[in-house]
């Protein structure tokens, strides 16, 4: 009893703060009082948000139909709040996009996978979502890169917009409803700057237009900074012409060789922050349900967005500010400025893009995640197991000549499905707790494997109905997570191909090793047979012996120290 209570107390640290008064917290409190046993839930994540006990606190939740209850962490209030959009049937979501001057890195992947999952889950809950994600296709960094390569800045940005689309497609991120570019919205930006000037919140200096932060007493509320602590934006040097060092540029006067547009203040181009205020207003209006981005955008970008949007329209507001955590490499934030980044394209040379997505979803989106190839190996191995299980299930079901009624599944399967549905809704509605959802896949996958391969499972009544229902429900969950492939067979082959690339082998070479090992076993050279197996395991190739012979599958490489131990 005491141990169970302690486990649940630890769980509460990773779900709802004790200071909050939400319904799910009440549920956890009841579970603390009534818990009599310790149940475990397997988790395949190193996230500090991983569950430490079973989903028993959620047992009393309804199981019929998807509830629209959703709690999201709001950066502005610094707490989880129940999400209720302005319109009960619609959601407006704006997410800050990339500055396309280079290939996108894993930090970008994390942001857009996070908001893709939110997009998918909101749709699953029944909302009509207008998802807007922009391109900052005019920027100092783009201009600097254009000068280096002697290209037109808009040509460079257009090319890397296409590259970004390629990466997002590989990651199975759904396209947003609208994807505006700064260069196509200059008129809207100029109109908003005019309103800010008319409302006496900005001033003009030699063709530049600056926002006056002194005009907005609430400046710093999102980031928690006081006005005295704030400094100029990261992308601009301190300008002595400013009234306050924290004032930021809404419009920049034209410089030789830079793209520019005519404005009431002369030729120039937009500042960094004004674009998102103007484009979010263009597509979503003055009140947005969700505004998202990485934690690095909280200040100065989103802080400045709030100030200038409110200056243009007093009714401007964002109901929920949602930010994803950093991706670290050696305890430092991954970024292009630190030159410690790995691009999505570099990862895809060795791993399937969905392995990267699985890896990212294995840590709660607000938690810092540490990138490593070992974790990608684990993610790829886990994906192969999931798809192999579902592929074998699909092959068996497709051989059936008569229709299968998935609804008519036996009690054991129904119980498994109800638990999966319950955990899906509760975990996703608890601030998109994807690591726990991934963990919840374990039991139904094990159930499928038992039905496919064990003697007892093969004799079960309504076995096919069970398999059909389990595969269908797992397909739904994988779809919400963005992990559902177009074809199980195709992605299994792609995962095999990537494993061969990482191992530096061809499939023909692996088959030669299998033949060599088979011959060694026939000749009773068991040490040589074991050596071949371990050599391949060290390269991420696992051998599986079965009555029909030996086959291979990708696997996490055997660590060197473990290889040395088994050899000795």
């Amino acid at each position: 009893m005491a141990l169970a209570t302690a486990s649940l107390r630890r769980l509460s640290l990773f779900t709802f703060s004790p200071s909050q008064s939400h319904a799910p917290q009440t549920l956890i409190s009841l579970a603390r009082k009534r818990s009599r046993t310790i149940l475990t839930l397997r988790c395949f994540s190193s996230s500090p948000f991983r569950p430490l006990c079973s989903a028993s606190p959620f047992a009393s939740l309804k199981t019929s139909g998807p509830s629209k209850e959703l709690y999201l962490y709001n950066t502005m209030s610094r707490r989880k709040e129940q999400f209720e959009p302005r319109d009960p049937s619609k959601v407006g979501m704006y997410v800050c996009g990339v500055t396309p001057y280079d290939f996108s890195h894993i930090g970008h992947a994390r942001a857009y996978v996070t908001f893709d999952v939110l997009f998918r889950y909101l749709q699953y809950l029944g909302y009509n979502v207008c998802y807007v994600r922009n391109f900052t296709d005019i920027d100092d960094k783009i201009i600097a890169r254009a000068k280096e390569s002697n290209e037109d800045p808009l040509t460079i940005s257009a090319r890397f917009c296409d590259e970004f689309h390629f990466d997002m497609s590989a990651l199975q991120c759904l396209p947003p409803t609208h994807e505006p570019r700064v260069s196509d919205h200059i008129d809207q930006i100029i109109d908003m700057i005019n309103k800010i000037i008319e409302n006496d919140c900005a001033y003009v200096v030699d063709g530049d237009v600056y926002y006056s932060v002194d005009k907005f007493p609430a400046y710093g509320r999102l980031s928690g900074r006081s006005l005295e602590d704030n400094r100029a934006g990261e992308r601009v040097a301190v300008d002595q012409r400013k009234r306050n060092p924290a004032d930021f540029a809404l419009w920049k006067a034209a410089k030789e060789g830079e793209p520019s547009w005519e404005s009431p203040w002369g030729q120039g181009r937009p500042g960094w922050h004004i674009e998102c205020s103007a484009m979010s207003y263009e597509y979503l209006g003055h009140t947005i349900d969700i505004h998202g981005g990485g934690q690095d955008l909280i200040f100065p970008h989103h802080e400045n967005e709030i100030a200038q949007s409110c200056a243009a329209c007093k009714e401007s507001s964002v109901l929920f500010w949602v930010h994803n955590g950093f991706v670290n490499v050696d305890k430092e934030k991954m970024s292009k400025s630190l030159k410690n980044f790995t691009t999505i394209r570099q990862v895809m040379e060795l791993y399937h893009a969905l392995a990267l997505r699985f890896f990212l979803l294995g840590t709660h989106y607000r938690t810092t995640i540490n990138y490593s190839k070992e974790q990608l190996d684990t993610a790829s191995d886990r994906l192969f197991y999931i798809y192999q299980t579902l592929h074998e299930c699909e092959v068996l079901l497709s051989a059936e000549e008569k229709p299968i009624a998935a609804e008519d599944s036996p009690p054991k399967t129904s119980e498994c499905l109800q638990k999966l549905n319950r955990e899906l809704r509760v975990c996703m509605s608890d601030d998109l707790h994807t690591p726990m959802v991934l963990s919840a896949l374990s039991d139904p996958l094990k159930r499928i494997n038992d039905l496919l391969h064990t003697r007892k499972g093969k004799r079960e009544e309504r076995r096919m109905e069970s398999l059909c229902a389990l595969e269908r429900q797992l397909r739904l969950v994988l779809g919400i997570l963005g992990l559902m492939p177009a074809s199980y067979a195709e992605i299994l082959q792609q995962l095999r191909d990537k494993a061969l690339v990482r191992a530096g082998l061809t499939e023909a070479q692996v088959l030669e090793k299998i033949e060599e090992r088979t011959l060694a076993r026939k000749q009773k050279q068991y040490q040589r047979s074991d050596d071949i197996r371990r050599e391949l395991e060290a390269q991420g190739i696992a051998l599986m012996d079965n009555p029909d012979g030996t086959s291979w599958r990708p696997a996490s490489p055997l660590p060197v120290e473990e290889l040395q131990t088994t050899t000795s």
Side-chain angles (χ1 to χ4, degrees):
M1 175 72 172
L3 287 174
T5 304
S7 295
L8 286 164
R9 190 170 292 121
R10 288 196 297 272
L11 175 63
S12 69
L13 295 175
F14 308 132
T15 51
F16 291 84
S17 167
S19 64
Q20 298 170 33
S21 57
H22 302 321
Q25 185 202 344
T26 303
L27 201 59
I28 290 175
S29 299
L30 289 172
R32 286 178 183 167
K33 296 177 182 177
R34 298 175 182 173
S35 178
R36 295 183 181 275
T37 58
I38 300 175
L39 301 175
T40 58
L41 177 64
R42 290 181 295 278
C43 185
F44 302 91
S45 164
S46 59
S47 165
F49 284 80
R50 65 180 181 272
L52 296 176
C53 65
S54 79
S56 58
F58 316 127
S60 65
L61 288 187
K62 293 183 295 184
T63 59
S64 59
S67 165
K68 281 195 174 184
E69 186 173 83
L70 170 63
Y71 288 83
L72 292 174
Y73 185 87
N74 191 343
T75 306
M76 181 64 79
S77 65
R78 291 163 181 76
R79 64 191 291 269
K80 275 188 276 193
E81 300 175 357
Q82 186 166 2
F83 175 69
E84 294 180 347
R86 295 164 299 157
D87 186 319
S89 63
K90 298 179 182 178
V91 173
M93 181 169 72
Y94 186 94
V95 175
C96 292
V98 296
T99 302
Y101 70 97
D102 204 343
F103 290 102
S104 299
H105 56 64
I106 301 174
H108 295 127
R110 188 177 197 196
Y112 303 119
V113 164
T114 294
F115 290 102
D116 179 65
V117 170
L118 178 55
F119 182 33
R120 288 169 180 268
Y121 191 62
L122 288 168
Q123 291 178 315
Y124 169 72
L125 293 179
Y127 291 111
N128 178 12
V129 186
C130 182
Y131 175 18
V132 183
R133 186 183 66 206
N134 73 297
F135 277 118
T136 303
D137 65 340
I138 303 165
D139 181 85
D140 293 342
K141 293 182 179 180
I142 296 173
I143 293 169
R145 180 61 59 88
K147 289 179 179 178
E148 291 173 6
S149 59
N150 196 29
E151 289 182 81
D152 175 69
L154 291 177
T155 300
I156 284 184
S157 61
R159 183 169 74 250
F160 283 110
C161 285
D162 291 340
E163 299 291 0
F164 175 82
H165 283 143
F166 179 88
D167 291 341
M168 292 302 103
S169 177
L171 287 166
Q172 291 197 170
C173 290
L174 298 173
T177 315
H178 302 286
E179 202 163 31
R181 304 188 186 198
V182 176
S183 60
D184 295 328
H185 293 77
I186 300 298
D187 290 343
Q188 291 90 334
I189 290 170
I190 290 174
D191 287 345
M192 180 165 279
I193 294 173
N194 265 326
K195 290 177 183 176
I196 296 172
I197 294 174
E198 289 170 4
N199 291 332
D200 194 30
C201 292
Y203 54 95
V204 183
V205 181
D206 302 327
D208 292 326
V209 181
Y210 290 102
Y211 180 89
S212 178
V213 297
D214 293 323
K215 300 287 186 176
F216 190 59
Y219 189 79
R221 189 172 56 144
L222 180 68
S223 61
R225 297 171 178 242
S226 65
L227 191 57
E228 292 75 20
D229 293 337
N230 288 318
R231 296 292 182 266
E234 295 175 354
R235 299 193 180 191
V236 293
V238 176
D239 190 333
Q240 298 302 320
R241 300 173 302 161
K242 295 181 181 181
R243 298 174 184 175
N244 184 318
D247 292 351
F248 55 91
L250 300 175
W251 187 262
K252 297 182 177 183
K255 295 180 182 178
E256 186 177 352
E258 294 184 359
S260 63
W261 289 262
E262 186 59 50
S263 80
W265 321 286
Q267 288 287 124
R269 60 184 175 88
W272 172 27
H273 315 290
I274 190 64
E275 66 193 61
C276 287
S277 290
M279 290 190 289
S280 64
Y281 169 65
E282 175 72 11
Y283 293 95
L284 298 172
H286 283 301
T287 302
I288 304 171
D289 295 312
I290 297 171
H291 195 316
Q295 287 180 358
D296 55 326
L297 296 179
I298 295 174
F299 183 87
H301 186 51
H302 288 163
E303 197 74 74
N304 291 351
E305 269 194 70
I306 294 170
Q308 64 200 10
S309 294
C310 290
C313 176
K314 292 181 180 179
E315 289 73 36
S316 177
S317 67
V318 172
L319 300 184
F320 278 77
W321 286 95
V322 180
H323 295 92
N324 63 276
F326 296 130
V327 176
N328 280 2
V329 177
D330 297 328
K331 298 181 180 180
E332 280 192 312
K333 169 181 167 281
M334 180 180 292
S335 69
K336 290 180 178 177
S337 60
L338 294 175
K339 298 181 179 180
N340 66 344
F341 66 93
T342 300
T343 66
I344 299 169
R345 205 65 58 86
Q346 287 172 325
V347 172
M348 289 195 295
E349 290 175 2
L350 298 174
Y351 298 90
H352 196 285
L354 289 188
L356 174 57
R357 185 178 180 110
F358 190 96
F359 159 69
L360 294 171
L361 295 178
T363 299
H364 189 270
Y365 79 90
R366 285 192 288 113
T367 307
T368 298
I369 187 171
N370 290 299
Y371 167 75
S372 71
K373 290 184 177 179
E374 290 75 18
Q375 291 199 63
L376 281 178
D377 285 332
T378 301
S380 186
D381 183 41
R382 183 64 181 167
L383 268 188
F384 191 91
Y385 164 72
I386 292 172
Y387 297 142
Q388 181 66 38
T389 299
L390 294 174
H391 176 57
E392 291 175 0
C393 180
E394 183 182 58
V395 169
L396 183 61
L397 291 171
S398 64
E400 286 290 299
E401 295 181 358
K402 60 180 181 179
I404 303 171
E407 294 77 10
D408 185 26
S409 54
K412 189 174 181 180
T413 297
S414 296
E415 182 181 345
C416 183
L417 291 171
Q418 287 173 8
K419 181 183 177 184
L420 176 61
N421 292 339
R422 198 164 54 236
E423 291 176 350
L424 169 68
R425 292 198 303 274
V426 172
C427 297
M428 288 298 288
S429 293
D430 179 13
D431 200 26
L432 304 183
H433 220 316
T434 56
M436 292 180 72
V437 178
L438 292 177
S439 298
L441 301 178
S442 300
D443 286 346
L445 287 167
K446 182 180 182 301
R447 175 91 176 118
I448 289 177
N449 274 306
D450 286 344
L451 292 167
L452 287 173
H453 302 296
T454 68
R455 185 176 300 175
K456 182 180 178 182
K458 290 178 180 179
R459 292 200 302 261
E460 273 200 27
E461 289 187 25
R462 303 201 301 277
R463 173 181 176 235
M464 290 301 178
E465 287 81 355
S466 288
L467 287 170
C468 184
L470 288 163
E471 193 274 341
R472 185 176 66 177
Q473 189 60 28
L474 284 169
R475 182 186 293 269
L476 170 68
V477 176
L478 291 174
I480 292 171
L481 296 175
L483 291 170
M484 185 62 210
S487 161
Y488 297 134
E490 286 180 10
I491 194 169
L492 286 170
Q493 186 57 52
Q494 292 163 359
L495 289 166
R496 285 171 174 270
D497 293 342
K498 294 296 183 183
L500 290 171
V501 172
R502 294 195 297 275
L505 298 169
T506 64
E507 185 157 22
Q509 290 172 321
V510 173
L511 295 177
E512 285 177 11
K513 286 288 185 181
I514 290 174
E515 288 181 10
E516 182 182 347
R517 177 174 173 271
T518 300
L519 180 60
R521 294 175 73 189
K522 287 180 179 179
Q523 296 175 349
K524 298 186 178 181
Q525 297 175 357
Y526 299 119
Q527 183 61 51
R528 178 56 188 153
S529 170
D530 291 343
D531 288 345
I532 293 172
R533 177 190 286 275
R534 284 193 294 268
E535 287 170 12
L536 290 173
E537 285 178 343
Q539 295 172 286
I541 305 295
L543 299 184
M544 297 171 292
D545 296 320
N546 54 68
D548 299 324
T550 301
S551 58
W552 71 274
R553 58 152 288 173
S556 297
L558 190 68
V560 175
E561 57 272 19
E562 189 174 333
L563 180 64
Q564 292 171 341
T565 301
T566 54
T567 304
S568 60

